[in-house]
Amino acid sequence: MRNTIVSAVVAAGILAATGTAAADNLVAPKSLAACFVPQTASTPMVKLKAKHGPYKIAFSNSYYGNNWRTEMLNIARAYVKQPAVAKYISKFEIQNAGNNVAQQVAQIRQMILGGYNAIVIDAASPSGLNSVINEAVNHGIVVVAFDNTVTTDKAININEDQAAMGRMWAQFLTKETGGKGKILMVRGLAGTTVDNDQGDGAMAVFKKSAGLTVKQVYGNWDVGVNQKVTADALSTSHDVAGVWGTEGATGALQAFLQVKAKLVPMTSESDNGFMKLAVEHHVPALVIGQSPALAAAAIRAAIAALDGQSLPRTANIPLNPVTTKQMKAGVNYFPKLPNSFVTDIDIPQCGVKIPVGAVVHGS
């Protein structure tokens, strides 16, 4: 994949088209604390020796082939052009590894040789990159992993709390149903860490309500599979009181509409199609997504670490739930954009606000 290189000098000429970073100072301790929340009370903090900027930052992306990844990379490109960010960056480069661990290792090794100050990583493997990450850190390079994080304690890991996401969805449904009835739980891809964490968070809540029963199926984070497994469940269960859904839940809602079943409270990740249907059909819903803007937060963490600021070794980025009543066309969902568009493109707690045009078109 062709490399993308953006210099701060070039960026300065096109800032007007890319919006502005909400944080006045990317490295202010109070602002950093609002964005990067320690994973647990015992999570260690990291404070490195400050380096003079501006900095050379490389981005190693494991996979490029779905809408989320496209938005994520567009957000990264737009973010480094914003005035509050561009002044810290002399060079920014993206490389895509095709979800190949060996290729990503080789690319990171070239970044080490290229004299980069920081490397931001969406990893192809939790442990397969550990050796080259440790090598980078030993060369004085800051390494920040996000989304698909890594297991070495040499990197700073940033993600959203998947267990909390699952828990919040379950709490919403418990409240909406009064803690009674059957919950259809349309999970993601069986056996994955994200699905396990989301599911465990949900079941910890559901088990507290004796009046709730839970039927679990797997939708593989795919709209078509979600629609099929939900339709199959509805053919044998006509008393579903709520649907716990994640990525691909647009299909679950489509299944209800297809068979003309009574619409019930539902949850979803931030799929534009789901939100459009929820508003149109007045479905009580709670949407929480894995934001593609995590890339921008990771870049901010790299800049802060290079500046000598204190950060958690493992940090959770605050979640931004949206209910049906809070959905606003053109603000947090987009009627004119494809159903597959991921809508949570801003992280206000981290000062990340990207114009929708930059997310869609990469400009």
Side-chain angles (χ1 to χ4, degrees), residues 26-329:
L26 261 66
V27 297
K30 185 176 180 180
S31 179
L32 291 171
C35 176
F36 303 106
V37 180
Q39 185 178 51
T40 68
S42 60
T43 296
M45 301 296 288
V46 179
K47 184 176 176 64
L48 305 175
K49 184 178 179 180
K51 296 184 177 182
H52 294 293
Y55 309 114
K56 293 172 63 178
I57 299 178
F59 185 167
S60 176
N61 177 49
S62 60
Y63 174 70
Y64 182 79
N66 62 35
N67 200 63
W68 192 93
R69 291 292 177 124
T70 300
E71 291 186 35
M72 179 267 287
L73 294 176
N74 286 345
I75 286 171
R77 294 184 184 103
Y79 184 69
V80 299
K81 297 173 186 175
Q82 294 184 346
V85 184
K87 67 182 180 181
Y88 288 98
I89 299 175
S90 61
K91 182 179 180 180
F92 180 70
E93 176 180 357
I94 296 174
Q95 293 192 13
N96 297 298
N99 213 30
N100 183 298
V101 175
Q103 184 173 346
Q104 192 166 25
V105 168
Q107 288 177 347
I108 294 171
R109 189 158 284 125
Q110 286 300 312
M111 292 169 178
I112 296 171
L113 295 174
Y116 283 90
N117 303 112
I119 303 173
V120 174
I121 298 173
D122 196 338
S125 164
S127 60
L129 306 181
N130 285 355
S131 179
V132 74
I133 289 172
N134 294 344
E135 182 181 338
V137 174
N138 289 339
H139 279 79
I141 299 170
V142 170
V143 177
V144 179
F146 75 100
D147 184 38
N148 291 300
T149 53
V150 295
T151 55
T152 175
D153 62 2
K154 300 295 185 181
I156 296 170
N157 277 313
I158 291 172
N159 214 340
E160 292 178 327
D161 190 334
Q162 303 296 325
M165 197 178 294
R167 187 166 58 248
M168 291 168 70
W169 284 329
Q171 290 168 342
F172 171 79
L173 291 175
T174 300
K175 181 178 179 180
E176 288 291 321
T177 61
K180 298 177 181 179
K182 180 181 290 184
I183 300 296
L184 176 62
M185 198 169 171
V186 187
R187 300 181 57 154
L189 189 63
T192 60
T193 301
V194 170
D195 180 72
N196 288 340
D197 289 348
Q198 290 181 348
D200 290 347
M203 290 308 299
V205 174
F206 288 142
K207 288 177 180 178
K208 295 178 181 179
S209 296
L212 288 176
T213 60
V214 179
K215 176 181 176 63
Q216 299 190 42
V217 296
Y218 286 88
N220 296 350
W221 294 318
D222 179 85
V223 172
V225 178
N226 264 252
Q227 184 166 352
K228 182 182 184 305
V229 297
T230 301
D232 290 346
L234 291 172
S235 69
T236 57
S237 301
H238 305 290
D239 55 348
V240 172
V243 176
W244 183 99
T246 175
E247 179 65 29
T250 304
L253 181 44
Q254 287 172 335
F256 271 77
L257 296 171
Q258 179 185 12
V259 302
K260 295 182 172 55
K262 178 184 176 182
L263 297 176
V264 298
M266 294 185 171
T267 69
S268 174
E269 291 204 30
S270 51
D271 294 354
N272 197 41
F274 178 89
M275 297 176 78
K276 287 192 283 187
L277 289 174
V279 171
E280 179 183 354
H281 296 281
H282 309 288
V283 178
L286 178 67
V287 167
I288 314 171
Q290 178 84 341
S291 175
L294 280 171
I299 293 167
R300 183 180 180 188
I303 292 170
L306 288 167
D307 192 67
Q309 301 301 321
S310 182
L311 292 170
R313 174 65 71 186
T314 303
N316 287 329
I317 302 299
L319 299 173
N320 290 292
V322 178
T323 64
T324 306
K325 291 181 179 179
Q326 295 169 328
M327 295 177 189
K328 296 181 180 180

